[in-house]
Amino acid sequence: MPPPSKLESLDKLYYSISEVSEMTELPVSTLRFWEKEFSELSPKRTQKGRRLYSTKDIETIRMLRFLLKDRGLKLDAAKAELRNNRKGVDKTHDVVRRLQGVRATLLRLLEAAQSRK
């Protein structure tokens, strides 16, 4: 089984924008932009205005990344998908993520088998 990704081993209550950027491999500017565009994404703010992302916020970012980057949807289409079929998007994203993990494991096994020849 592949090692848990940074996103699967969330152990804190809140994460900074830089931590979320690193976890999701998205620029900080993209996270800020998505926060303005998607009402589903609403990190808490400290008194000084710093963003604090919950695990729910991070899951929303993962779904947005899936819709916008992987599926190639435009902003309006992604908004409609989340509004009309959030559970379906979540399930699809989860299946794709698991399949990617299986693929990575199979590739590592193939490389190991080839190196033994």
Side-chain angles (χ1 to χ4, degrees):
M1 188 142 181
S5 72
K6 293 176 189 174
L7 290 174
E8 291 172 343
S9 59
L10 298 176
D11 57 356
K12 294 182 356 183
L13 193 55
Y14 293 104
Y15 295 83
S16 70
I17 194 167
S18 60
E19 290 173 317
V20 175
S21 173
E22 184 180 325
M23 279 187 252
T24 59
E25 299 177 346
L26 290 167
V28 170
S29 59
T30 299
L31 296 174
R32 288 184 182 129
F33 176 73
W34 286 358
E35 182 184 333
K36 292 176 188 171
E37 289 294 318
F38 295 93
S39 60
E40 296 86 359
L41 183 58
S42 56
K44 285 187 169 205
R45 298 281 186 131
T46 66
Q47 288 182 340
K48 293 184 179 183
R50 299 184 90 167
R51 292 166 175 84
L52 297 175
Y53 291 87
S54 67
T55 53
K56 182 181 178 229
D57 293 324
I58 295 170
E59 183 59 33
T60 299
I61 291 167
R62 291 174 66 199
M63 282 194 285
L64 291 173
R65 181 185 174 97
F66 171 70
L67 292 171
L68 296 167
K69 304 288 185 186
D70 298 340
R71 287 194 44 205
L73 296 180
K74 302 292 183 198
L75 288 175
D76 290 336
K79 288 176 188 177
E81 276 287 312
L82 283 178
R83 188 173 46 250
N84 299 327
N85 189 22
R86 184 173 179 114
K87 284 186 180 181
V89 170
D90 189 36
K91 286 181 182 180
T92 302
H93 174 257
D94 189 47
V95 168
V96 168
R97 188 174 48 97
R98 288 176 189 222
L99 288 173
Q100 288 171 337
V102 169
R103 182 176 190 262
T105 301
L106 290 173
L107 287 174
R108 282 196 304 275
L109 290 171
L110 178 64
E111 288 175 10
Q114 289 175 343
S115 67
R116 296 184 95 195
K117 288 185 179 181

